Amino acid sequence: MCVKGACVAEGLLGALKRLAPLPPSFSISSGGHAQKEQPPTLKRVRCSNVSLNLLIHFLPAHRHRRHTQTPHRLRQLRQPPSSAAHVRWRWSRSSRQAGRWATEPAASSSPRRDDTRKPHIITFLIRTLLLMCKIACVAAALIRVLYLAAVAAPAKSLLAAATVAFSLVNAPCLRYMNQAALGRSFTGTFCGDLLAGAMAHSWRLLVQGLTSFMFLCARADEYVRPPPSQLVLMAHDKPASHPQQVHISVVGAKNMRISWVTDDRSAPSVVEYGRSPGKYTASATGDHTTYHYFFYKSGAIHHVTIGPLEPGTTYYYRCGKAGGEFSLRTPPATLPIELVVIGDLGQTGWTASTLSHIGGGDYDMLLLPGDLSYADTQQPLWDSFGRLVQPLASARPWMVTEGNHEIEALPVVEFEPFAAYNARWRMPHEESGSRSNLYYSLDAAGGAAHVVMLGSYAAFGEGSEQHRWLEADLARVDRRRTPWLLVLLHAPWYNTNQAHQGEGERMRLAMERMLYEARVDVVFAGHVHAYERFTRIYDNEADSRGPMYITIGDGGNREGLALRFIKDHKSAHLSVFREASFGHGRLRIVNETSAVWTWHRNDDEYATVRDEVWLESLAAGKQSLATTTGRHTDEL
């Protein structure tokens, strides 16, 4: 070994000696072994033996609690001679505090293998199992104590004890969460905060889980929002001359229009009718039309007006002198009258459910503010829709207005908009002074109620034909003779749902003032596939002299429900009730001053009355809203 290496080794030995002095009666020999009765001065020895031997014994004592097994080369360097008198130096934990070296016999040249042995996985599993058993025993004992207390103690005492126990546990957890939210320590130590945090969060999860479970149990019969349903396609299996898609509408005070379709385009447009089944005392003749859409050509669409008819009377009739017999009942000439209101109907399973619920109760007239068949250029769906609604539409008048799904105009081909709607659903626009089938008005209950059907997709701005017509129509209404004034349109003017936000704003700015000055009682709209009822409003403010706005676009369309309402919408404070569910509404006008509105939510087996409100006519002078009943909710 060179002199430089020996000097380095001697320097290391000096440093170790200063950190942990050797006993004065021991010294280091050139062989790296301790010898008794040597001078206390350390000799310059070979680095390969002395320095490595001391470092091997010294460094593990500072880095590990127990000696670790050394590499094979290092073990060879520090092997002592085969003598029982030799001892090996180690720095023991017990002597470390005294700063002394401890000795142990060098019983074997091989290292102690038990020093490097780690706990076995089986031991860990056994200890974990024992701990779990202890926890289970403690839990069983607590349950037994609680059971005995429940049997022996009265209910009030148990409730009080449970309240106290809950407070004792809940209060510290709340304090911890408050301190953690402020960035402060709860216990003053890191480990204490860690343990307290684990306990607090575990308690929070437990309470939230129990609360959710109790909520589900308490509301197990609550309504589950349905997904959109598949289309219900109705086929026609009758002869070509037999009528199909039969529906009726009112024309004036004493007449009814009968509309139907035949595949035979030469079938006669004639209706036979009378007050007794099979006995027709009168007949009327009308006309028919057809239309083309791409390669589709409609059947003959017949329209025949019958009358004069007696109000509140049942008539039996047959169309085209072929097929089966139908019956209808004319609306009453006086109050009370019941009106069914549905929007965005479509032809799905939920549509069939809505129609079934409507047919389960009596009514006099049905009002539909747009979006009928959802054909959307697929013309055979118009035929299927007509067959689906025929059982109800052939027995009570259906008064409809157009929606966006009736437009069916293409930008390139430039089909005439509303071609199918105007051909199939002819409304009494001419009788009300309107030049368009897209907007009109009618009287009900002998003029006690005036219904205005507006067109959201016809020109409505100031100076437009619809604007002028509406102004003239409202001016003709005498509120002393007509205490109830209703308006229907498709795109809502007030809406807190995320769907179709602001689409009715331009029309509102153009026409709201006229409705307010005419003291319109209720404005019904569709378009948004949910139900929402507002208070009386004018110009985005609550006003007892303004109309009540109701969105009812939840008839059963194929697009599904509009589930999301905007909590912080500017009109949210005006929204009294809102819910995204399929259903229909009924407005029963009881007399000249009072009416009741109910919204019937579709359920699996029956229609549930979810919202109900009594209201007074604005023509009555009180201009106030009556007491509202029913269950109100702000979210889905």
Side-chain angles (χ1 to χ4, degrees), residues 19 111 172 291 441:
L19 290 173
Y291 73 95
S441 65

Side-chain angles (χ1 to χ4, degrees), residues 163-336:
T163 303
V164 172
F166 179 84
S167 301
L168 291 176
V169 178
N170 194 57
C173 294
L174 289 178
R175 287 198 301 270
Y176 166 79
M177 293 180 181
N178 293 334
Q179 293 293 327
L182 297 174
R184 302 173 182 173
S185 175
F186 181 69
T187 61
T189 61
F190 174 77
C191 294
D193 287 347
L194 193 64
L195 180 61
M199 296 176 63
H201 288 297
S202 300
W203 174 254
R204 177 179 59 85
L205 293 175
L206 176 63
V207 172
Q208 288 179 348
L210 292 175
T211 304
S212 300
F213 179 75
M214 295 173 61
F215 177 81
L216 292 175
C217 292
R219 298 170 61 93
D221 59 343
E222 267 298 307
Y223 183 63
V224 178
R225 301 294 181 271
S229 181
Q230 297 295 324
L231 292 178
V232 177
L233 303 178
M234 307 295 292
H236 180 62
D237 54 359
K238 303 293 180 61
S241 61
H242 283 215
Q244 57 172 304
Q245 309 173 46
V246 181
H247 59 269
I248 63 177
S249 56
V250 298
V251 181
K254 295 185 177 182
N255 297 323
M256 301 283 287
R257 177 179 286 119
I258 314 296
S259 303
W260 74 96
V261 177
T262 58
D263 292 333
D264 182 4
R265 296 181 179 85
S266 62
S269 302
V270 60
V271 174
E272 302 168 289
Y273 61 98
R275 296 187 181 184
S276 300
K279 296 181 179 181
Y280 309 125
T281 59
S283 66
T285 303
D287 57 21
H288 73 274
T289 184
T290 61
Y291 73 95
H292 289 79
Y293 198 93
F294 278 110
F295 301 107
Y296 173 87
K297 184 177 181 180
S298 71
I301 305 172
H302 306 267
H303 301 285
V304 177
T305 301
I306 63 175
L309 305 176
E310 294 295 326
T313 305
T314 299
Y315 288 86
Y316 300 88
Y317 63 97
R318 188 175 65 163
C319 304
K321 297 184 178 182
E325 182 180 73
F326 301 90
S327 65
L328 64 86
R329 192 182 71 193
T330 56
T334 59
L335 297 175

Side-chain angles (χ1 to χ4, degrees), residues 456-524:
S456 295
Y457 303 97
F460 49 72
E462 188 173 356
S464 65
E465 188 172 336
Q466 182 177 195
H467 194 278
R468 293 194 300 269
W469 170 85
L470 177 61
E471 188 175 14
D473 186 81
L474 294 176
R476 289 193 295 267
V477 177
D478 184 358
R479 297 306 300 272
R480 293 171 297 181
R481 178 179 172 270
T482 306
W484 292 96
L485 185 53
L486 313 175
V487 172
L488 284 85
L489 47 88
H490 187 63
W493 294 355
Y494 293 95
N495 170 34
T496 65
N497 197 289
Q498 287 189 357
H500 305 299
Q501 270 296 311
E503 292 187 16
E505 182 65 12
R506 291 177 56 247
M507 191 176 188
R508 182 190 72 83
L509 294 175
M511 294 184 168
E512 185 180 24
R513 179 186 56 82
M514 289 191 290
L515 271 57
Y516 178 76
E517 293 177 352
R519 295 295 182 263
V520 172
D521 294 287
V522 186
V523 176
F524 295 101

